Amino acid sequence: VSHFFHADGDLYVATADASLLVYEDGAKKPRTMLDEYAGYWESVSGGYLYYAFEGMNRIRLSEEHPTPEKIVENAACVSDGMHIYYVKDRDGFLYRCCMDGSGEELLLERAVLPASWNFDGTYLYFRLFADGGLEGEGDGVLYRMRKSGGEAEQIAELPVPAYQIFMLPGREEMIVTTLSPENTVYLVSKDGKTVEPLTEPRNAVDEGGKDNGTDR
């Protein structure tokens, strides 16, 4: 198994040898949906399975042997089931479109780091490329923007380069991993008022002065 996800009572499995399987309604044996599959960041909406791979693709779930349809090209994409959000390869800016790929809107004319982004019901959270790369001026700044559009709001700044944002369902905080040498992980409130490190540096020294290999 490479990874798996659930939707509408079905279990979808992407295999290590690049197939997409589905265990329908609790079935013990899977059905092969695609023999060749390299997708990620999947979502299911309106009878389609959407997945990112060299753009945004979708397949119709009602078809026994579906044919992938590419609806956004040359972009890093993610979907919340209502819109597709994407960063184009040519400029790195943040765009949004409808679930069929129509109605493109430019949301932010600044380069966004796709690996960082995540969303809740109202906001899209992310960090920017710093000086065109992962590390540089502004690499620890976290932003949020209403998914309906508007200004990007700076909510917090970490003392180290931010990397990925993970949402915590039902909570007003999110987890932020970093590119610091210690791989420090932070708990950050969605409004940015609280920034709390959750991990200690690797190979921390205990009170007796002996290396205890702590990595919590």
Side-chain angles (χ1 to χ4, degrees):
V1 173
S2 169
H3 65 277
F4 60 89
F5 55 98
H6 299 267
D8 300 331
D10 298 333
L11 169 64
Y12 296 85
V13 177
T15 68
D17 61 357
S19 296
L20 179 64
L21 313 179
V22 58
Y23 292 80
E24 296 170 305
D25 196 26
K28 300 298 183 182
K29 294 183 178 181
R31 174 172 65 89
T32 300
M33 299 191 68
L34 295 174
D35 291 320
E36 297 181 5
Y37 182 76
Y40 54 94
W41 290 347
E42 295 93 345
S43 63
V44 172
S45 176
Y48 288 92
L49 167 63
Y50 292 82
Y51 62 91
F53 179 69
E54 298 179 347
M56 182 61 85
N57 310 267
R58 69 179 183 179
I59 56 175
R60 190 184 296 273
L61 294 174
S62 60
E63 297 179 359
E64 184 174 357
H65 301 291
T67 300
E69 174 190 6
K70 188 172 293 292
I71 53 178
V72 177
E73 296 186 354
N74 302 318
C77 305
V78 68
S79 173
D80 64 354
M82 300 180 65
H83 291 91
I84 298 168
Y85 300 87
Y86 52 102
V87 168
K88 291 186 177 181
D89 294 346
R90 70 168 183 263
D91 56 27
F93 298 162
L94 179 63
Y95 296 81
R96 183 183 78 166
C97 69
C98 299
M99 294 298 289
D100 62 358
S102 65
E104 178 178 278
E105 301 176 66
L106 174 61
L107 296 182
L108 183 64
E109 201 170 351
R110 299 179 70 182
V112 171
L113 177 64
S116 71
W117 61 17
N118 217 318
F119 53 82
D120 59 16
T122 305
Y123 291 95
L124 186 70
Y125 301 84
F126 55 90
R127 59 150 284 191
L128 302 176
F129 271 110
D131 297 330
L134 291 177
E135 299 185 43
E137 184 176 356
D139 56 16
V141 179
L142 303 178
Y143 294 86
R144 71 178 181 182
M145 169 184 280
R146 288 188 176 274
K147 293 194 292 182
S148 57
E151 297 294 324
E153 172 190 3
Q154 178 178 330
I155 58 172
E157 183 171 5
L158 307 183
V160 292
Y163 185 44
Q164 292 179 301
I165 297 171
F166 297 92
M167 311 312 295
L168 298 171
R171 293 180 60 98
E172 291 304 310
E173 299 90 10
M174 51 194 182
I175 298 292
V176 182
T177 65
T178 69
L179 296 172
S180 65
E182 298 84 9
N183 293 324
T184 310
V185 176
Y186 287 84
L187 182 69
V188 181
S189 60
K190 291 181 179 179
D191 60 9
K193 293 181 179 179
T194 302
V195 178
E196 177 187 355
L198 293 181
T199 57
E200 297 178 357
R202 288 180 174 169
N203 299 321
V205 176
D206 63 20
E207 293 180 356
K210 182 178 180 180
D211 186 350
N212 61 18
T214 301
D215 186 13
R216 293 194 291 272

